[in-house]
Amino acid sequence: KFEDILGYKLTDIDPFDGSKQHIIVRINRPLSNDYNPPHKDIYDGMDNRNHIPQFVNFWIPICGVTPNSSLPIVPSSHLLTEDQIFRTLDGGVVEGNKYRVRMIKDWGGSNSLVRSNVDYGEVLLFSSHLIHGLAINEEKGKTRVALEFRLFRG
């Protein structure tokens, strides 16, 4: 279905190194720091291998996803050029917590994210160039669980 929508074949094998991608179960406890800061998923390959991988991200809510806990994104940020993005080169720190992903601190003079509106049974499909993250679960009594995975252009 997604191949028909995108117009090209998809695979869970990274064509750069042949590694098989896995499904990630992302668990965000209420009011915890179980999230990544704002980032793009291309930076690891770009910085470490001088290669920009071609893949799409899938985010599937399982439970506890509400307007106060869904994945924040920056709409149209995949169109920003890199000279408009201020980011770290080796992880980021938010409220004293160190994260592995390269944190984007500012984009096009902004640092505002918008919570995605994804209901159960739906999938958020987005470009690896889209800024996303800082998915703080602001629900006091609900743990958010979502599946995340990538498929590469085949």
Side-chain angles (χ1 to χ4, degrees), residues 51-123:
H51 170 74
I52 299 176
Q54 294 184 13
F55 62 86
V56 291
N57 291 305
F58 295 80
W59 189 81
I60 305 169
I62 301 299
C63 67
V65 177
T66 71
N68 294 321
S69 67
S70 66
L71 179 65
I73 61 171
V74 180
S76 301
S77 59
H78 63 292
L79 302 173
L80 293 172
T81 57
E82 287 301 311
D83 64 346
Q84 296 175 286
I85 295 173
F86 176 62
R87 68 180 180 97
T88 65
L89 295 176
D90 186 28
V93 177
V94 177
E95 296 181 358
N97 297 304
K98 174 92 169 125
Y99 296 91
R100 187 182 63 80
V101 299
R102 286 130 179 100
M103 182 172 131
I104 300 175
K105 296 180 177 187
D106 182 271
W107 46 88
S110 176
N111 62 0
S112 296
L113 294 105
V114 176
R115 295 252 188 205
S116 56
N117 184 16
V118 183
D119 286 325
Y120 299 106
E122 295 181 336
V123 175

Side-chain angles (χ1 to χ4, degrees), residues 8-76:
Y8 52 81
K9 295 285 185 192
L10 296 168
T11 179
D12 63 347
I13 305 295
D14 184 340
F16 184 82
D17 63 10
S19 64
K20 185 174 178 80
Q21 298 299 296
H22 301 282
I23 296 174
I24 298 168
V25 179
R26 180 79 64 193
I27 300 171
N28 293 81
R29 298 167 294 169
L31 307 173
S32 71
N33 61 356
D34 301 335
Y35 56 80
N36 279 320
H39 65 282
K40 287 184 182 184
D41 290 332
I42 60 166
Y43 289 138
D44 186 54
M46 193 169 100
D47 294 345
N48 293 329
R49 302 181 288 186
N50 199 28
H51 170 74
I52 299 176
Q54 294 184 13
F55 62 86
V56 291
N57 291 305
F58 295 80
W59 189 81
I60 305 169
I62 301 299
C63 67
V65 177
T66 71
N68 294 321
S69 67
S70 66
L71 179 65
I73 61 171
V74 180
S76 301

